[in-house]
Amino acid sequence: MKMKKFSRTELYNELLTSTLKDLSEKYHVNYNKFSAFCHQNNIPLPGTKYRMYLKMNKDTTGLVEPLPAAQSDIIYFDTESNKKLDIENELKDLNDLQKTKQIEQVLSEFKYSSKRSLSSKVRTFKKSVKEWKEKYPNDEHKYEWYKWYSDEKKPKFMENISPKELPRLYRILNAIYLVLDQLGEEITDDFTVIIGGKDEVYFDIVELKNQVEHKITKKEQKALDEYERNLKIGRSWASKPRIRKYDHLYNGKLKLEFNDYPYHAYVKDADNGRLEEKIPEIIINFYKAYISVRNKRLEQEYEKQKKKEEKERKNQKAKHINDEKARVKKLVTEAHDYQTAMQIRKYASTISNKKYKDWVLQKADWLDPSVARNDEILGLRDYSNDLEKYLDDLLKMEDDFDW
């Protein structure tokens, strides 16, 4: 069992200036367990009113209880139980028990070693970093201008890591690669991680920085002296040099972040261990990020399919309406032709010329949809168009043919 030592007095004083949540993150311990730990050791927790007054720089006297006396000022927090990972529960939304069991097994067998040689994947990535540094040794501005006109990309993780910590970066990437590769996931040469065969999980590794007071450089001091001289000789228009108040220096602590919406999480160097010692926690976060990315993709695919089906439904409905309209139009045409055919037959009864009368009756049978005679010249009557348009089309076809 691993225990973390605290001073009751120091912890009480920290709680006067920082929230319990801030301290649980600082010491990398579970918030609820840390709260219970404070209550068990009789350490008062400042309330909301105290926090509000503190923020407003108001007098907080009497708003928080004094620290009660205790037999010993030294207390211990169990960090071992806090570190144990319930992988099955953490990845319950993966909805793949077989995969979860595989992850449990691989993580239980994996042992990090700083002496392990780098994989070919990481050596390839390391080479790309070296080549980029050789191409742009000390000229960031040149690259920043050039990248807008080129497909060339700066290797990942280089924006926020000092050269001193690059060896650590490679070892951490190596550990991540070895585990994910064993789990059957894909890692490209630029360290894009693809889980489940199709979902890219974005992550970044950054080095944290400390804020320190800026020390004025010789160049800045020279500019300040020049400014002061200008003021003394009456040059009121002289502009005071803008010199930053703080510098932000790399401190050697690394943080691995997952910042792709909607999943946000991080694992970082802390008192309870460095990233190298937290590979299982990192891998779990990769899969939790994957679950988020996968669910987002499935939701988008579902919406896309729903829109497609809705469009097809509307198209089918429009087609059905158009087909029905065409049937009604044909029906009206057939009824009209039937009526015309009956009129022609009535007219034929008045014709004395037998040859002409036979021709008239043939045309009546051609028009009549109940007979639908196949005329030796006109063929079968097409009832999709009314008679006048049909005959006009036939005349047009005949004219085109003659031409």
Side-chain angles (χ1 to χ4, degrees), residues 311-327:
K311 185 177 180 180
E312 288 177 353
R313 187 188 66 79
K314 288 181 177 179
N315 289 340
Q316 288 175 356
K317 183 178 180 181
K319 185 177 182 303
H320 180 70
I321 291 172
N322 290 334
D323 289 346
E324 195 69 7
K325 286 179 178 179
R327 290 183 67 192

Side-chain angles (χ1 to χ4, degrees), residues 21-42:
K21 184 177 184 297
D22 291 337
L23 292 183
S24 65
E25 290 181 357
K26 174 182 176 180
Y27 295 115
H28 214 73
V29 295
N30 180 273
Y31 171 82
N32 293 325
K33 290 182 179 180
F34 202 45
S35 175
F37 172 72
C38 291
H39 285 297
Q40 289 166 4
N41 288 280
N42 206 14

Side-chain angles (χ1 to χ4, degrees), residues 315-345:
N315 289 340
Q316 288 175 356
K317 183 178 180 181
K319 185 177 182 303
H320 180 70
I321 291 172
N322 290 334
D323 289 346
E324 195 69 7
K325 286 179 178 179
R327 290 183 67 192
V328 171
K329 180 181 177 183
K330 186 171 178 286
L331 172 63
V332 172
T333 301
E334 287 176 346
H336 184 268
D337 280 12
Y338 175 78
Q339 187 178 20
T340 303
M342 295 301 291
Q343 290 175 342
I344 290 173
R345 290 188 183 108

